[in-house]
Amino acid sequence: MMTDKFTDVLVIGGGGAGIAAALSADEHGAQVTLIEKESVLGGSTGMSGGGISATNTRFQREAGITDSKDSWLALWHARQATSNPHSAYPDYNFVNYFMDEAVKTTEWLVDYAGHHYPAITGFGLDPVRRIHFAGEAGSLGGPILIQNLTQALKQHHIQVLLNTSAVSLKKQTTHSITGVKATSPDGSFVIHAKAVILATGGFAKNKAMLAEYIPNGDTLYQHSYSGPGNQGDGIQMAIKAGAVPYDEPWIIGEGITTNVPKTYQLTMDWSKLYVNAHGKRFMNEQNHYAVVTNLVMQQPQPWLVLDSTTANQAIISKLKSGLSTNEVVQGATINELATAMNVPVESLSTTITTYNAGADSGKDSFGKAQEFVKKIQQAPFYAVKIYPIIMGTFGGVKINQNFQVLTNSGQPFDNLFATGETANKAIYNQVYMSGSSVQFALTSGRLSGQFAAQHLL
Ligand SMILES: Cc1cc2nc3c(=O)[nH]c(=O)nc-3n(C[C@H](O)[C@H](O)[C@H](O)COP(=O)(O)OP(=O)(O)OC[C@H]3O[C@@H](n4cnc5c(N)ncnc54)[C@H](O)[C@@H]3O)c2cc1C
């Protein structure tokens, strides 16, 4: 039998948003308890690259990097415009606010939480060096970020309860919360709190929610690489308590993958050709990985096509294991390949002829840079089925700029806050921006912790 607990600020979820919220609420004078349903802290944040984008930080200036918010904003506009043209999102007031606060978060993490940035880099199509990495370039920074933040939690003696899952919110009035019902291996109990911060991530690990909110969402579950705790708990608890969900939820794309083991190098390989079930090319493969996911998920069974040129031999040796499961097919000619793929022969043949002509002329019909247009001419030919990868979701519950959750009436809860993927839709249409999602988690966490602590005064 567990006894009830009492705290000033209760943070639910121990990923980037939750840990930042706990540190910040403590910094602003609140007594804080953080609960995490898994046996370790980290969530998706701990599995991520850990890179956080921000512009004109003192770290960029020290490294001689010239950058501006306007440049990031221009990129933001251009990328979001590649998705739903009828969308009500992003809310650029919120994007502006986020970008200003992201600079402060990037510096606060070093000054207050003992974090550091051994590398500040660009990535892929985004050459501006604005992603502040926790590890050396090329290393996985998420675990380092979580390690540093966990150390800060310890230094500030913040209470952390692992294996403890929030189940439901306890309401006092329409606009106020008194705490949560929680469970742990020792039983159920109530945590009474003066303010509650929801930092439970998104719903990329909840197949039913993906199916409900995203077209063909249930099929995306197969390659959802989010943290296991991202089951939409906080979103569902808040909605039950009267919160309003954001419209137009979407997924955070991370390019494509195959069902053949050890083929990860194909995930962001711009030199390959993609075709759909009609044997037609449908995109410039040299695209931001989030855009790639969006375009690929709209197509009937997309394939990646490659020939037997020397440069492809290493990946072909891996792909051969997919021949027995029909994830990979091969043909001695393009016509044979089309038949094995079950796509119209003439259509695939025309696609390849056009693609090869673009390699010769330097004018690819989809605008791919010539260095990535490799002729498909060396038999035998291979095609492998490709699938979109998701690493999180956009959506959650509506919040105001104090990160207070909004009710049906449009009024905020006094003391219920939401952060990270639990409330991230305001800044995106359908396209993830490199280094923005961990940054949003940390920035919304830092600010919600501050506002929650100030609410107690
Ligand atoms: C493989 C991968 C790579 C990525 N790479 C990048 C990148 O390089 N840059 C970038 O910007 N973004 C990246 N992302 C996305 C980014 O990591 C996330 O969007 C962001 O970190 C989400 O932070 P969060 O705090 O909202 O959620 P999380 O970090 O997932 O934290 C949520 C936590 O809440 C816990 N929780 C859930 N329900 C409950 C409950 N009922 N009770 C208690 N605890 C609960 C979960 O277990 C989890 O620990 C990546 C994601 C993945 C999966």
Side-chain angles (χ1 to χ4, degrees), residues 177-228:
I177 299 294
T178 57
V180 303
K181 188 175 166 207
T183 60
S184 77
D186 299 323
S188 299
F189 58 106
V190 172
I191 307 177
H192 303 272
K194 294 175 189 159
V196 173
I197 300 176
L198 299 169
T200 56
F203 57 93
K205 281 291 184 186
N206 184 324
K207 196 172 181 181
M209 283 179 85
L210 283 172
E212 184 179 347
Y213 293 124
I214 315 287
N216 299 321
D218 51 340
T219 62
L220 298 172
Y221 181 77
Q222 184 190 10
H223 294 290
S224 169
Y225 296 165
S226 268

Side-chain angles (χ1 to χ4, degrees), residues 294-335:
N294 285 346
L295 295 176
V296 163
M297 65 190 265
Q298 293 166 12
Q299 296 298 321
Q301 189 52 68
W303 297 80
L304 179 151
V305 177
L306 68 170
D307 74 354
S308 287
T309 190
T310 312
N312 286 335
Q313 288 309 315
I315 187 68
I316 287 172
S317 70
K318 306 278 185 336
L319 286 173
K320 279 184 175 161
S321 72
L323 287 166
S324 59
T325 54
N326 288 331
E327 292 293 319
V328 179
V329 293
Q330 69 172 358
T333 61
I334 294 296
N335 287 5

Side-chain angles (χ1 to χ4, degrees), residues 13 15 17 36-37 43-45 48-49 166 225 229-230 233 421 432 435 437-438:
E36 164 56 52
K37 78 173 172 183
S44 288
T45 313
S48 75
Y225 296 165
N230 279 244
D233 293 5
E421 284 190 34
Y432 159 74
S437 201
V438 172

